[in-house]
Amino acid sequence: MRSRPTLSTKLLAMGAGFLLVALASIGLTLWVTWKLEGGAAAVNEAGRLRMNMLRMVLVLQTEPPEAVQERARQFDASLELLRTGDPSRPLFVPWSDETRTRFDGIRARWAEARTGWVSASPPDRARNLAEADAFVQQVDGFVDAIEIQIAGWTAALHLFQLFMMALAIVAAVTFMAVSYLLVINPVARLQQAQARLRQGELGTRLPVDTDDEFGQLSAGFNLMAHALQASHDELEHKVREKTASIAVQNQRLAALYEVSALASTAGSLELLAQGFVQQIRRVAGADAAAVRWSNEANERYVLLAGDGLPRTMAEGEHCLHTGTCLCGQPQAQARTRVIPITPSTTVALPHCREAGFQTMVTIPVQMLQRLLGEVDLFFRSPVELTDELRDLLEAMTRHLASAMEGLRATALEREAAVAEERSLLARELHDSIAQSLAFLKIQTQLLRDAVARGDEAKRDRSIGELDVGVRECYSDVRELLVHFRTRTSEEDIESALRATLSKFEHQTGMATTLGMVGHGLPLAQDVQIQVLHMVQEALSNVRKHSGATRVDVLVHRHPRWRFEVQDNGTGFEVASVPPDSLHVGLGIMRERAQRIGAVVQVESAPGQGTRVCIELPSVAPTPPHQPAASTHSAGSIYAVAPQQATMP
């Protein structure tokens, strides 16, 4: 059986380790000092070379060849001493690539100069001085290289000494810390554990991380506490499971109740979506959430509401074409997905990655196999959906789909009621006013025949004025009948506008264009009817008063709906027109605009045409359920009637 180390063994081992480190550091310091002394001696010996070289030049000029040869032998001995070193002095050249290269250059130059100096030929003073000077420069470079090496060793020695000082401090602190960890702290932990156990904390355990005496005591304490805790833990575990299950069910019921309450109180699709996105973000614990609406053909996804989304992301992804991004998938692929957003993920729109989101959860909003939209949840960390949370989120989206369909059905019912009331008004006008005007026209013809026998000038002038007035009133009544029977498309106003412009071109011969800019949610059916009537009234005014040859209609769908009717007619000074002439037509347009919270603006100038702008609010209010009756006059500038109807 392997013996366990005791506390004394651990402490002795630690002290021995510190002692070995100290001895190693002392030995290394002595060795470096010895090398520094050898390098300094090498510098001195190299300096002696310079002195001997100067003496050699002097000897060449003043002494016999034997003296020159003796000096040459001394010079050779100095070079050999530098090459081999002398451990007894000590003398060592700190060899490196630089020092070895310079020393080889000195030896080569000396060998070249020695051959000429020890010969019997007479010395050349100028040449000898030049060679000596070049040799001294080489020796200086050699000395500089040695000094650089010595400086490096000296700096390393200083750093090592600082390191040893820091190591001594660390060793002292470490010894105190180890003493605390191995002796003081285990004793304190045993005392604290016993106190907690006496107070009824049966789950108290001590970590057994050593094999010494304290480790054995801790293991025995844990066995004792475990026997007391076993039965209590089992019962507590069962209670926690039941509590967690009840909490999950309560959370799910509360979330579903909030969605149901929101669906019953929300008066518009925008309000429903905004309230839902806040609730589902809170339930899922997401950093951001969005609800996207898809058109019937599943061609694009429009951002209906968002919570926590960066502004750039909300603007950049206001309208997504199906399949262009991770969200907004085709109906065939619609399912709940957990999508990690990594640097390697290929996305056409990198707004999620730029916002710092790492995970996206998409939940389709479906109703009777029809894809209504999508709910997107964004997280700035990796997440995994549990089965309970997945079921809860899907149940919430089903409630959202039911609420969206409910709003749609309510809008259709409101549209049907409005259409029925307008048909009733049209029939009343046709049976009363139109018949009266037709009779008035017959009486005008009879009057013309009777007066023909009198004053011809006065007769013709009066009859002409009466005829013009009757025809104008008759035309206005026919236009009212057309307006009262107007129906829009089920999803978009574009088709109704194109039909209106087509009839206008056929009746007037004017060229027309229709421009649709941006993407947005479709207008409610009752709002479409009011807007279409206002556009028709503007077109009617162009036909009657502008003298234009062209009409342009521009529709902006984002960020809010705006309709512009621009003609190239004669224009007029808006401020100079008497209020009476604007009262009826403009009053009718403003009345219709007030019902849907819109604003009507008229801009015109002589010779520059006229522009009528109709701007809707961001969230169009639900107009009251009332008949849309309006009054027209023959002299109105903004009279409604771009079409001619056939009236019996």
Side-chain angles (χ1 to χ4, degrees):
M1 183 177 180
R2 183 177 61 88
S3 60
R4 298 183 179 90
T6 62
L7 289 176
S8 58
T9 302
K10 295 179 181 179
L11 295 176
L12 289 174
M14 183 178 62
F18 288 152
L19 180 61
L20 291 176
V21 173
L23 293 176
S25 65
I26 293 172
L28 180 60
T29 303
L30 293 175
W31 180 79
V32 174
T33 304
W34 186 58
K35 296 291 285 185
L36 291 174
E37 292 178 357
V43 172
N44 294 332
E45 189 65 28
R48 185 179 300 174
L49 287 177
R50 292 180 291 189
M51 182 183 64
N52 291 335
M53 176 56 63
L54 297 177
R55 290 178 178 178
M56 179 69 71
V57 176
L58 182 62
V59 169
L60 286 173
Q61 305 297 325
T62 61
E63 299 184 10
E66 292 79 12
V68 173
Q69 292 178 357
E70 179 61 24
R71 289 290 182 182
R73 285 192 294 271
Q74 293 177 3
F75 206 94
D76 291 337
S78 295
L79 289 176
E80 185 65 17
L81 180 61
L82 288 173
R83 188 184 68 83
T84 59
D86 187 3
S88 62
R89 294 179 55 176
L91 189 148
F92 301 100
V93 177
W95 296 110
S96 65
D97 293 339
E98 179 68 15
T99 57
R100 193 171 298 281
T101 301
R102 292 185 179 277
F103 184 76
D104 293 338
I106 293 172
R107 294 182 63 188
R109 182 170 289 277
W110 165 246
E112 181 182 351
R114 188 180 189 278
T115 303
W117 289 356
V118 300
S119 63
S121 58
D124 188 352
R125 180 178 178 84
R127 180 185 176 195
N128 293 339
L129 289 175
E131 291 179 351
D133 184 70
F135 187 86
V136 169
Q137 291 180 359
Q138 284 191 327
V139 173
D140 291 337
F142 178 66
V143 172
D144 292 338
I146 295 175
E147 289 177 349
I148 291 174
Q149 290 292 106
I150 294 175
W153 286 355
T154 303
L157 180 61
H158 292 165
L159 291 176
F160 182 75
Q161 291 173 346
L162 293 176
F163 171 75
M164 292 306 301
M165 292 177 60
L167 183 62
I169 297 173
V170 172
V173 174
T174 302
F175 186 83
M176 292 186 292
V178 171
S179 300
Y180 174 80
L181 293 175
L182 295 182
V183 181
I184 300 175
N185 189 48
V187 172
R189 287 191 300 181
L190 281 172
Q191 292 176 345
Q192 294 173 1
Q194 291 177 359
R196 291 197 301 269
L197 195 62
R198 287 195 301 268
Q199 294 174 2
E201 300 179 13
L202 302 180
T204 303
R205 298 291 185 274
L206 289 174
V208 183
D209 47 13
T210 61
D211 293 334
D212 55 12
E213 293 84 347
F214 288 108
Q216 296 174 10
L217 289 175
S218 299
F221 178 86
N222 292 339
L223 290 175
M224 179 187 66
H226 179 75
L228 297 175
Q229 182 70 18
S231 59
H232 183 271
D233 284 347
E234 184 179 1
L235 180 61
E236 192 175 52
H237 178 70
K238 293 181 179 179
V239 172
R240 285 196 300 268
E241 288 183 345
K242 293 294 184 182
T243 303
S245 178
I246 294 174
V248 171
Q249 295 297 327
N250 289 337
Q251 180 185 13
R252 180 170 182 174
L253 290 175
L256 295 178
Y257 173 79
E258 291 177 357
V259 174
S260 300
L262 177 64
S264 61
T265 57
S268 65
L269 183 61
E270 290 82 4
L271 296 177
L272 173 64
Q274 190 61 46
F276 178 83
V277 76
Q278 296 173 356
Q279 293 181 3
I280 199 170
R281 178 190 177 187
R282 183 181 68 256
V283 171
D287 297 297
V291 174
R292 304 183 188 275
W293 174 88
S294 177
N295 62 339
E296 234 176 303
N298 194 223
E299 297 172 343
R300 58 184 179 268
Y301 284 80
V302 178
L303 183 63
L304 196 60
D307 190 39
L309 295 177
R311 188 178 67 177
T312 55
M313 183 176 177
E315 294 177 354
E317 297 186 5
H318 171 71
C319 181
L320 297 178
H321 292 280
T322 303
T324 58
C325 196
L326 297 176
C327 51
Q329 294 300 303
Q331 182 172 0
Q333 305 175 9
R335 57 183 178 84
T336 302
R337 298 173 298 157
V338 180
I339 305 172
I341 305 174
T342 62
S344 59
T345 305
T346 303
V347 291
L349 300 174
H351 300 103
C352 297
R353 187 184 301 149
E354 294 174 356
F357 298 126
Q358 298 185 20
T359 308
M360 180 177 66
V361 178
T362 63
I363 311 163
V365 182
Q366 294 178 310
M367 185 70 179
L368 300 175
Q369 305 301 320
R370 181 194 172 198
L371 185 62
L372 303 180
E374 186 176 272
V375 177
D376 299 328
L377 303 175
F378 304 91
F379 301 85
R380 289 189 168 89
S381 61
V383 296
E384 293 184 2
L385 289 183
T386 62
D387 294 338
E388 293 80 8
L389 182 58
R390 183 187 296 267
D391 294 339
L392 176 59
L393 297 179
E394 292 178 349
M396 293 178 67
T397 55
R398 287 194 294 269
H399 280 69
L400 175 63
S402 299
M404 293 173 66
E405 282 298 302
L407 290 176
R408 179 174 177 270
T410 301
L412 291 176
E413 293 176 359
R414 189 164 56 246
E415 180 199 3
V418 172
E420 184 178 358
E421 292 182 4
R422 293 186 179 277
S423 297
L424 178 61
L425 290 173
R427 289 194 300 269
E428 292 292 333
L429 291 173
H430 182 271
D431 295 338
S432 58
I433 299 177
Q435 296 296 334
S436 299
L437 292 176
F439 176 76
L440 182 59
K441 184 180 179 182
I442 296 174
Q443 294 300 320
T444 301
Q445 183 64 40
L446 296 175
L447 179 61
R448 181 183 294 118
D449 296 337
V451 179
R453 294 185 296 269
D455 188 353
E456 294 183 359
K458 185 176 179 179
R459 177 199 60 195
D460 293 339
R461 184 172 60 252
S462 300
I463 293 175
E465 292 177 356
L466 182 59
D467 187 61
V468 170
V470 171
R471 292 181 183 275
E472 189 69 26
C473 292
Y474 185 62
S475 177
D476 290 341
V477 172
R478 294 170 67 184
E479 291 174 359
L480 280 175
L481 294 176
V482 174
H483 294 337
F484 284 138
R485 301 179 186 273
T486 298
R487 299 293 299 271
T488 60
S489 63
E490 295 183 354
E491 188 173 357
D492 204 314
I493 198 174
E494 182 177 357
S495 58
L497 290 175
R498 293 191 181 280
T500 298
L501 291 178
S502 177
K503 294 179 180 179
F504 182 81
E505 285 187 351
H506 178 72
Q507 296 170 358
T508 63
M510 298 184 191
T512 63
T513 61
L514 176 62
M516 308 293 293
V517 180
H519 297 282
L521 298 174
L523 295 176
Q525 302 298 326
D526 49 352
V527 176
Q528 290 189 41
I529 292 176
Q530 300 294 342
V531 171
L532 185 59
H533 285 333
M534 288 187 285
V535 172
Q536 290 173 341
E537 291 190 28
L539 292 174
S540 178
N541 180 65
V542 172
R543 177 180 63 84
K544 293 180 179 180
H545 307 287
S546 68
T549 60
R550 182 180 181 86
V551 180
D552 298 316
V553 178
L554 182 61
V555 180
H556 297 267
R557 290 181 281 198
H558 181 75
R560 61 179 62 187
W561 284 86
R562 188 171 75 253
F563 300 83
E564 298 180 1
V565 182
Q566 177 75 52
D567 66 72
N568 63 347
T570 57
F572 62 98
E573 195 68 41
V574 178
S576 64
V577 178
D580 294 341
S581 60
L582 289 173
H583 178 265
V584 177
L586 186 57
I588 292 173
M589 295 184 68
R590 287 175 176 172
E591 179 184 352
R592 295 185 183 275
Q594 186 179 5
R595 295 175 183 174
I596 57 176
V599 177
V600 178
Q601 295 180 347
V602 181
E603 299 177 1
S604 182
Q608 299 182 8
T610 303
R611 186 175 75 95
V612 178
C613 180
I614 306 167
E615 187 170 0
L616 303 183
S618 299
V619 180
T622 303
H625 183 69
Q626 60 183 2
S630 56
T631 307
H632 293 67
S633 70
S636 173
I637 292 182
Y638 291 92
V640 181
Q643 303 121 331
Q644 298 291 332
T646 302
M647 186 167 57

